[in-house]
């Protein structure tokens, strides 16, 4: 497969000044002349931005944090591009952007997984499970849902958050 050109550029939108005087930091992904842009969730004072270096010029904690964030974004994008290249997939800037934003992932939810488990166990009544066991699983799921809604105001919990707690 032919190697593609891939470029990541950070810049600021001076035309979109906020009330605080800061401007949003933008990201442009370019592959073979095709490009896509997205706004990062960081803002900077236009006087503290060096476009040649694509970084903040300040030595204060905020500037250092923004520079670290920009570096991690660039590394993540390079990893995504490399993974897609290794897999031999068609690479375009929109697909890299989707993967960066996590839009290609199916987000598993706790109560969905719990319900799937109960449904699979229900099929095994008489073989591996008794009917009483399945009713207990269903009761447990119902109580979990009630507790999550009442105490945390959540209808479901992303599995990513449960796994991260470990």
């Amino acid at each position: 497969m032919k190697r593609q050109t891939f470029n990541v550029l950070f810049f600021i939108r001076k035309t979109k000044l906020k009330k605080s005087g800061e401007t949003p930091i933008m990201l442009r992904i370019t592959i073979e002349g095709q490009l896509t842009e997205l706004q990062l969730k960081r803002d900077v004072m236009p006087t503290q931005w060096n476009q040649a270096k694509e970084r903040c010029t300040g030595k204060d904690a905020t500037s250092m944090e923004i520079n670290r964030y920009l570096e991690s974004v660039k590394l993540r994008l390079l990893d995504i591009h490399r993974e897609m290249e290794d897999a031999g997939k068609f690479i375009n800037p929109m697909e890299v952007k989707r993967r960066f934003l996590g839009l290609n992932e199916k987000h598993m939810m706790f109560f969905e997984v719990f319900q799937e488990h109960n449904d699979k166990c229900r099929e095994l009544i008489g073989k591996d499970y008794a009917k009483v066991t399945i009713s207990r699983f269903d009761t447990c799921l119902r109580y979990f849902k009630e507790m999550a809604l009442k105490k945390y105001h959540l209808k479901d919990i992303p599995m990513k958050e449960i796994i991260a707690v470990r």
Side-chain angles (χ1 to χ4, degrees), residues 115-128:
Q115 186 62 53
E116 286 176 22
H117 167 266
N118 290 359
D119 294 341
K120 286 179 184 174
C121 292
R122 193 169 283 109
E123 294 172 5
L124 298 173
I125 290 176
K127 297 176 189 166
D128 291 337

Side-chain angles (χ1 to χ4, degrees), residues 23-61:
T23 182
I25 299 175
M26 303 292 292
L27 164 69
R28 180 179 294 148
I29 303 167
T30 310
I31 301 174
E32 292 293 320
Q34 296 179 341
L35 63 95
T36 186
E37 293 179 355
L38 70 130
Q39 183 173 326
L40 297 175
K41 303 292 186 223
R42 299 289 192 278
D43 300 318
V44 67
M45 294 298 287
T47 56
Q48 289 188 329
W49 183 257
N50 182 343
Q51 188 54 53
K53 292 183 179 180
E54 300 177 22
R55 297 288 184 264
C56 286
T57 56
K59 296 292 182 190
D60 57 302

Side-chain angles (χ1 to χ4, degrees), residues 56-112:
C56 286
T57 56
K59 296 292 182 190
D60 57 302
T62 308
S63 296
M64 300 295 277
E65 193 276 325
I66 288 174
N67 289 339
R68 279 193 298 272
Y69 175 73
L70 295 176
E71 192 60 37
S72 71
V73 166
K74 189 167 189 167
L75 289 173
R76 224 168 104 212
L77 288 166
L78 290 170
D79 282 344
I80 290 168
H81 183 262
R82 184 186 41 76
E83 287 170 11
M84 291 176 72
E85 207 172 46
D86 290 347
K89 295 185 178 179
F90 176 72
I91 306 170
N92 67 2
M94 284 303 292
E95 185 59 30
V96 173
K97 178 181 173 180
R98 287 179 51 76
R99 286 179 182 234
F100 175 73
L101 296 174
L103 299 175
N104 65 328
E105 301 172 1
K106 181 186 180 295
H107 299 284
M108 294 175 35
M109 303 299 277
F110 177 71
F111 296 136
E112 287 177 14

